């Protein structure tokens, strides 16, 4: 039997942030606390896409953070990227997913699989924050089973003609560039898929209704439809038939972003619960003095720290340039479940006040749930981890 070892074995890991990482964390925290957190409840209640938050991320040179400067990026590492996503999620989960769907699900595949012309034409304006990205893999009838995509792409001369629809598209109505995975030959299943960059405004490209979601309610999620939509062959990433690999390796990076988002949601809710435990009195003392509350706070922070370390671990693996599928799945699986467990406990600490929208913890609990679902459910992460562990048997 072939044994699977971590890609990080013998790698020089320290969990001390560099000066630059700490500086960016502090800067983004300051922006998020001052600008995003105060509006998070309103964004949630009104289902309002906070376009001004995107503009501020762009003005802060964050939209292309891990990509080279020649493409408009900041040339920073993926640990820094995870730190930024966490800080955004602590303040406003909607803003963190708007950002991560753009960076890790759209910019990253153009950087990894695009040619030089595509990087200059498509990636650069996205890194500069002039254009926003969205990732279109799921369909009304295919979620976890991505290879079963039925949206078709037929090559005619120098254009693909797209027909079909895509579901649950983050940044749906708001994006400018859409990475669409479509089928060129159903008989070939995953080997028939192609990855195409489709521009908003293309002929026959329309939007369905905005989804009314449990959480991340300011995020623009909708169905998109293609009716004989022409897409230049020049917008194809990699080769025809590579669409599944483009999608899966993109999701490896995306899952680290969702792990960081989950850590941020959990830490944000915990911060509120800690503050409340020091303010709220019952039976003649502060509730933080009761062992039941102390244990909850201690367990939660232990798990959140562990989730953060798994997220950094996966980010380091990504920066080492090796395959990091398993590390990303570990981080996403654990962080998402920690976010759900912790936010439920935070609501419990607030008691009745946790159940109403006067305090933010119920929003964190609703926001946490999606991290166990999108970019691969927790069940899919277990499958990915197991199939990597059992490879070669
Ligand atoms: N990187 C590169 N290639 C990969 C890969 C990866 N991480 N994982 C698999 N592949 C390759 C395999 O090597 C294999 O290649 P060959 O055919 O050359 O041998 C090929 O892909 C097929 O692999 P599998 O047999 O493992 O594929 P499968 O059909 O059994 O699917 C799966 C595996 C894990 C279930 C996968 O389909 C999956 O991850 N599904 C979940 C999809 C998902 O996360 N959807 C979320 C959509 S995005 C979203 O949430 C919206 C948003 O906007 C936030």
């Amino acid at each position: 039997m072939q044994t699977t070892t971590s890609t990080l074995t013998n790698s020089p890991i320290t969990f001390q942030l560099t000066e630059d990482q700490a500086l960016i964390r502090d800067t983004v925290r300051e922006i998020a606390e001052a600008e995003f957190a105060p509006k998070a409840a309103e964004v949630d209640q009104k289902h309002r896409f906070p376009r001004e938050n995107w503009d501020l991320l762009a003005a802060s040179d964050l939209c292309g953070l891990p990509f080279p400067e020649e493409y408009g990026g900041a040339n920073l590492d993926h640990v820094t990227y995870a730190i930024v996503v966490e800080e955004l999620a602590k303040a406003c989960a909607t803003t963190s997913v708007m950002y991560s769907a753009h960076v890790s699900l759209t910019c990253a595949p153009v950087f990894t699989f695009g040619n030089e012309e595509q990087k200059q034409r498509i990636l650069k304006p996205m890194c500069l924050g002039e254009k926003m990205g969205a990732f279109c893999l799921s369909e009304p009838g295919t979620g976890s089973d991505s290879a079963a995509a039925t949206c078709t792409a037929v090559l005619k001369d120098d254009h693909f003609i797209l027909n079909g629809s895509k579901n649950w598209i983050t940044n749906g109505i708001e994006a400018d560039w859409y990475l669409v995975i479509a089928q060129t030959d159903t008989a070939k299943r995953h080997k028939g898929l192609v990855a195409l960059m489709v521009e908003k405004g293309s002929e026959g490209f329309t939007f369905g209704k905005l989804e009314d979601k449990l959480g991340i309610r300011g995020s623009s999620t909708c169905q998109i439809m293609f009716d004989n939509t022409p897409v230049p062959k020049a917008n194809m990433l990699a080769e025809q038939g590579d669409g599944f690999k483009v999608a899966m390796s993109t999701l490896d990076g995306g899952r680290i972003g969702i792990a960081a988002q989950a850590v941020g949601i959990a830490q944000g809710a915990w911060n509120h619960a800690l503050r409340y435990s020091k303010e709220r009195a019952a039976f003649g003392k502060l509730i933080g003095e009761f062992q039941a509350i102390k244990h909850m706070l201690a367990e939660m922070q232990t798990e959140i720290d562990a989730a953060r370390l798994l997220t950094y671990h996966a980010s380091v693996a990504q920066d080492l340039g090796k395959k990091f599928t398993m590390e990303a799945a570990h981080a996403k699986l654990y962080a998402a479940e920690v976010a759900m467990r912790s936010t439920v406990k935070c609501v419990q600490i607030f008691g009745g006040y946790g159940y109403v929208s006067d305090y933010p913890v119920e929003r964190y609990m609703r926001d946490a749930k999606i991290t166990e679902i999108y970019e691969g459910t927790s069940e899919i992460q277990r499958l990915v981890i197991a199939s990597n562990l059992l490879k070669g048997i």
Side-chain angles (χ1 to χ4, degrees):
M1 188 187 102
Q2 185 187 324
T3 55
T4 309
T5 53
S6 163
T7 52
L8 295 184
T9 307
N10 302 325
S11 67
I13 302 170
T14 67
F15 292 108
Q16 179 78 34
L17 298 188
T18 64
E19 264 179 44
D20 285 350
Q21 288 165 343
L23 180 68
I24 289 171
R25 178 199 58 199
D26 295 346
T27 306
V28 175
R29 184 175 294 173
E30 218 169 277
I31 294 172
E33 284 176 358
E35 305 293 335
F36 304 156
K39 285 182 302 194
E42 178 257 330
V43 160
D44 172 70
Q45 278 157 16
K46 294 186 180 157
H47 296 229
R48 183 176 72 78
F49 184 82
R51 173 59 71 163
E52 71 280 15
N53 292 3
W54 168 262
D55 293 340
L56 188 48
L57 294 173
S60 309
D61 294 330
L62 293 169
C63 294
L65 187 139
F67 308 107
E69 286 169 13
E70 60 191 296
Y71 304 123
N75 206 25
L76 295 169
D77 58 85
H78 284 89
V79 174
T80 307
Y81 171 63
I83 290 168
V84 170
V85 176
E86 177 186 339
E87 291 305 324
L88 298 179
K90 253 158 69 179
C92 174
T94 282
T95 302
S96 74
V97 71
M98 164 214 292
Y99 177 68
S100 67
H102 166 81
V103 174
S104 37
L105 293 186
T106 324
C107 293
V110 182
F111 175 64
T112 307
F113 298 101
N115 57 37
E116 188 56 31
E117 185 277 328
Q118 291 168 333
K119 288 179 194 177
Q120 290 296 340
R121 176 168 58 94
I122 303 174
L123 178 62
K124 197 168 181 178
M126 288 204 292
C127 287
L128 293 171
E130 296 163 1
K131 303 280 180 189
M132 187 188 291
F135 177 75
C136 313
L137 174 64
S138 300
E139 297 182 1
T142 65
S144 293
D145 185 7
S146 315
T150 59
C151 178
T152 56
V154 177
L155 186 59
K156 272 197 185 152
D157 304 323
D158 56 355
H159 280 71
F160 284 95
I161 305 298
L162 274 183
N163 275 292
S165 58
K166 293 282 171 184
N167 248 35
W168 318 122
I169 308 309
T170 302
N171 293 340
I173 289 174
E174 306 290 336
D176 303 284
W177 279 108
Y178 298 77
L179 169 53
V180 177
I181 305 297
Q183 184 57 269
T184 62
D185 183 349
T186 316
K188 290 189 179 165
R189 222 178 113 86
H190 75 272
K191 290 187 192 292
L193 294 172
V194 66
L196 301 173
M197 294 303 296
V198 182
E199 204 165 5
K200 182 186 242 163
S202 299
E203 192 187 322
F205 176 3
T206 53
F207 301 104
K209 71 171 174 61
L210 274 180
E211 302 294 348
D212 180 3
K213 303 187 297 295
L214 175 73
I216 53 162
R217 287 156 72 96
S219 156
S220 163
T221 311
C222 69
Q223 188 178 36
I224 62 174
M225 279 91 77
F226 303 107
D227 180 12
N228 287 321
T229 301
V231 183
K233 194 175 177 211
N235 288 9
M236 177 175 73
L237 300 183
E239 299 297 327
Q240 191 171 330
D242 286 341
F244 193 72
K245 285 186 185 171
V246 171
M248 289 302 116
S249 63
T250 296
L251 283 167
D252 287 343
R255 287 168 183 166
I256 303 178
I258 301 305
Q261 179 188 25
V263 171
I265 292 170
Q267 188 68 63
W270 186 94
N271 291 351
H272 285 287
L274 178 72
R275 203 170 309 129
Y276 190 71
S277 305
K278 292 176 176 176
E279 290 167 5
R280 170 78 176 180
F283 302 101
K285 55 182 178 181
L286 294 173
I287 62 168
E289 294 177 61
F290 287 101
Q291 193 179 41
I293 304 291
K294 283 182 183 166
H295 281 189
M296 276 200 262
L297 289 170
E299 275 165 19
M300 281 191 277
Q301 192 57 66
T302 305
E303 290 195 333
I304 296 166
D305 284 347
R308 183 180 294 110
L309 290 177
L310 276 180
T311 305
Y312 289 173
H313 182 80
S315 306
V316 171
Q318 183 172 11
D319 282 330
L320 288 176
K322 297 180 179 171
K323 198 162 172 6
F324 58 96
T325 302
M326 198 158 75
E327 286 82 358
H330 280 153
K332 190 205 182 257
L333 170 64
Y334 187 69
E337 296 194 349
V338 165
M340 202 60 241
R341 268 199 299 280
S342 304
T343 53
V344 168
K345 282 182 191 159
C346 290
V347 167
Q348 192 67 17
I349 288 175
F350 274 78
Y353 288 109
Y355 201 66
V356 293
S357 59
D358 297 359
Y359 287 91
V361 283
E362 59 84 31
R363 188 184 78 242
Y364 283 94
M365 186 179 79
R366 289 186 286 105
D367 288 341
K369 184 59 201 170
I370 192 60
T371 65
E372 292 184 316
I373 298 173
Y374 59 18
E375 300 201 30
T377 60
S378 293
E379 292 71 24
I380 288 292
Q381 304 314 316
R382 288 184 167 86
L383 203 80
V384 168
I385 294 165
S387 66
N388 277 275
L389 289 172
L390 296 169
K391 239 177 217 165
I393 282 186

